[in-house]
Amino acid sequence: MSVEDAGNQSSQHRIDSIIDKYNLYVNPGLSKLMQFAGFGDVEESTLGTVLRTASGAEFLDFVGGYGVFTLGHRHPKVVDAVHRQLDRQPLSTRTFFNEPQAVLAEKLAQITPGNLQYSFFSNSGAEAVESALKIARIATGKTDFISMEGSYHGKTMGSLALTGREKYRTPFLPMMPGVSFVPFNDVGATAEAITEHTAAIIVEPVQGEGGIIVPDTGYLSGLRNLCTERGILLIADEIQSGLARTGAMFAVDHESVVPDIMCLAKALGGGVMPIGATISTEAIWQAAFGANPLIHTSTFGGNPLACAAGIAALQVIQEEGLCALAAIRGDQLITGLRRVQESMKGSLLAVRGKGLMIGVEFMQKDVAEITINAMARRGIIAAYTLNNPKVIRFEPPLIVSTEEVERCILAFGESVVEAAAMLEGMEDN
Ligand SMILES: Cc1ncc(COP(=O)(O)O)c(C=O)c1O
């Protein structure tokens, strides 16, 4: 056996053993799903837009952690900021003041629209939404929420109660009461659902897991006006769409809409640390925390490491002009994907998106699944959206190059052809 063969054999042995451990100790069903999608390998290292696996394969990351890797993987400025903080103080005692938390909160107040000013920090998107729910309830003294069909706000009990997909909710009934769902992109239906108990409306400015759905111009400002007129709060869940992803710092900025509460997570950690943030106005903060500043807390929320990553991430987004890059590369990608759609009329229903938050809707879920697998074999990572498996989403790091976008379009075109042919062959048999 050659040295190379022996090396391959030992790395395959390692991969098999890790997959076995997933089967035995993590989640066997998930393990099967990952292998079916063509991801039966182990992540070894990442840099920029590239992921390397234990078998030595290289992939271009066009999923981007569903919005986490906006700056790319291991951006040197974020890594350096985290290293420096790690060497000084990774977690705070929470007795004294913590500088990174103060600085990040100030920066968020500067870049978020209107009079959003105060930040509560947590560790994930779902927690950022949980915090928004509690803040909205205590600030308004009302109990109920209106959410959108097809929405995704997380899977903790509170955020799940707002998530518009029965499949995830039904096994956990009864949910938190007082949540009604209305069609996305329909201000009239939302108005009809408001009652005297409604505390807030929660909306993703671009629906992510629902299948990358961009609402009509005027929808978000319509919701804003409705909330103002009826005295209820507007919560913008920008966890996936925020921080330059759609070509603006926040997706609500496209319509100059100022929500009462904004939720952030994913990209805020610069692709290096987990962090969530719930940001609101002075008046709402006073109503929520005025009587009891400890009414809502988190042990790890606002920790120095995560906040150091957040500060560096915001700096990089501005210094590297990532909003503009998202718009330019987004145009290139959507144009290329539409070319493929034209040539494959029978398979692809729609190509849509904003900036580098793009979805392709297939006629059939099976073709989408096989396409993802075929793209993986061509060295491109893609994924479907959680609430709509007929949609493959493209959310690469915003630093992706024009050449890499072209590679993705080419691989996508070839993969759709392959998937359609494979399914036709199966139907013929
Ligand atoms: C819009 C939106 N809100 C909330 C969440 C939940 O975030 P997390 O998975 O970090 O809890 C997600 C995750 O995909 C999301 O896309």
Side-chain angles (χ1 to χ4, degrees):
M1 188 188 290
S2 71
V3 174
E4 196 180 325
D5 284 347
N8 287 346
Q9 205 176 46
S10 88
S11 70
Q12 192 54 51
H13 180 71
R14 188 171 146 239
I15 294 164
D16 292 344
S17 134
I18 291 167
I19 293 176
D20 280 349
K21 288 186 177 69
Y22 261 66
N23 291 336
L24 286 173
Y25 307 114
V26 181
N27 187 333
L30 178 66
S31 162
K32 213 183 274 174
L33 211 63
M34 288 162 76
Q35 290 176 77
F36 179 75
F39 301 119
D41 203 337
V42 172
E43 295 189 5
E44 196 77 327
S45 66
T46 49
L47 187 65
T49 52
V50 176
L51 169 108
R52 289 187 182 80
T53 65
S55 70
E58 250 187 40
F59 295 87
L60 276 181
D61 182 4
F62 268 75
V63 177
Y66 319 104
V68 170
F69 299 110
T70 287
L71 280 62
H73 293 266
R74 290 200 295 125
H75 192 289
K77 285 198 173 156
V78 183
V79 170
D80 182 50
V82 171
H83 270 154
R84 278 187 283 117
Q85 189 61 46
L86 186 62
D87 288 340
R88 273 196 317 142
Q89 188 210 20
L91 296 179
S92 101
T93 67
R94 309 190 70 85
T95 47
F96 294 99
F97 291 91
N98 151 6
E99 185 177 15
Q101 175 164 219
V103 173
L104 181 58
E106 180 188 32
K107 289 206 176 306
L108 285 172
Q110 288 163 351
I111 63 164
T112 47
N115 55 348
L116 295 178
Q117 181 178 340
Y118 284 92
S119 287
F120 177 84
F121 292 108
S122 53
N123 312 285
S124 67
E127 279 178 85
V129 172
E130 291 285 343
S131 307
L133 296 186
K134 289 181 72 183
I135 289 166
R137 272 193 170 184
I138 195 171
T140 59
K142 296 180 194 166
T143 49
D144 292 3
F145 294 92
I146 298 173
S147 186
M148 306 304 154
E149 290 167 7
S151 62
Y152 188 87
H153 298 290
K155 288 186 183 141
T156 56
M157 285 304 279
S159 62
L160 182 61
L162 301 169
T163 288
R165 193 175 186 207
E166 292 304 319
K167 183 175 171 177
Y168 294 130
R169 297 154 44 81
T170 307
F172 301 102
L173 294 175
M175 288 280 116
M176 177 181 85
V179 181
S180 49
F181 289 93
V182 295
F184 185 61
N185 204 17
D186 187 339
V187 180
T190 312
E192 277 174 28
I194 295 174
T195 71
E196 60 190 307
H197 303 295
T198 307
I201 294 169
I202 183 162
V203 67
E204 294 161 85
V206 175
Q207 275 197 342
E209 302 308 323
I212 314 289
I213 302 177
V214 185
D216 296 339
T217 306
Y219 171 63
L220 295 172
S221 40
L223 286 184
R224 173 67 276 173
N225 293 339
L226 183 63
C227 286
T228 307
E229 280 162 20
R230 305 288 291 270
I232 57 182
L233 303 181
L234 179 64
I235 304 172
D237 180 345
E238 291 261 13
I239 286 165
Q240 194 163 149
S241 59
L243 298 168
R245 171 64 42 197
T246 67
M249 188 57 92
F250 302 103
V252 288
D253 293 346
H254 292 291
E255 279 195 41
S256 304
V257 161
V258 182
D260 299 293
I261 302 178
M262 183 184 275
C263 301
L264 297 176
K266 295 195 189 283
L268 185 57
V272 174
M273 291 296 298
I275 183 169
T278 308
I279 306 143
S280 190
T281 63
E282 186 183 2
I284 290 172
W285 229 245
Q286 183 55 33
F289 291 97
N292 181 356
L294 301 179
I295 194 76
H296 186 58
T297 56
S298 160
T299 299
F300 291 125
N303 70 74
L305 265 189
C307 289
I311 296 164
L314 296 184
Q315 207 174 339
V316 169
I317 288 172
Q318 286 174 323
E319 278 172 7
E320 297 189 8
L322 294 190
C323 290
L325 276 182
I328 295 166
R329 302 278 187 270
D331 276 352
Q332 184 194 349
L333 182 52
I334 212 162
T335 306
L337 294 172
R338 285 195 173 132
R339 270 201 317 267
V340 176
Q341 184 193 12
E342 271 300 295
S343 65
M344 293 292 302
K345 277 210 169 71
S347 301
L348 307 178
L349 201 59
V351 176
R352 56 183 176 242
K354 211 167 183 74
L356 275 171
M357 190 168 176
I358 296 173
V360 178
E361 182 158 357
F362 285 67
M363 300 285 214
Q364 285 173 282
K365 174 173 158 276
D366 296 349
V367 185
E369 275 172 8
I370 299 168
T371 299
I372 290 172
N373 184 302
M375 288 187 75
R377 278 183 278 109
R378 289 170 173 82
I380 308 277
I381 308 175
Y384 59 77
T385 54
L386 263 183
N387 288 353
N388 188 350
K390 278 190 194 161
V391 176
I392 295 187
R393 104 260 306 284
F394 295 93
E395 297 184 45
L398 307 184
I399 54 155
V400 70
S401 69
T402 48
E403 294 74 22
E404 288 169 335
V405 170
E406 285 309 316
R407 261 187 67 192
C408 173
I409 296 165
L410 186 68
F412 177 71
E414 290 175 2
S415 299
V416 180
V417 172
E418 185 185 313
M422 189 188 274
L423 221 70
E424 220 168 89
M426 277 154 70
E427 278 161 7
D428 289 347
N429 287 327

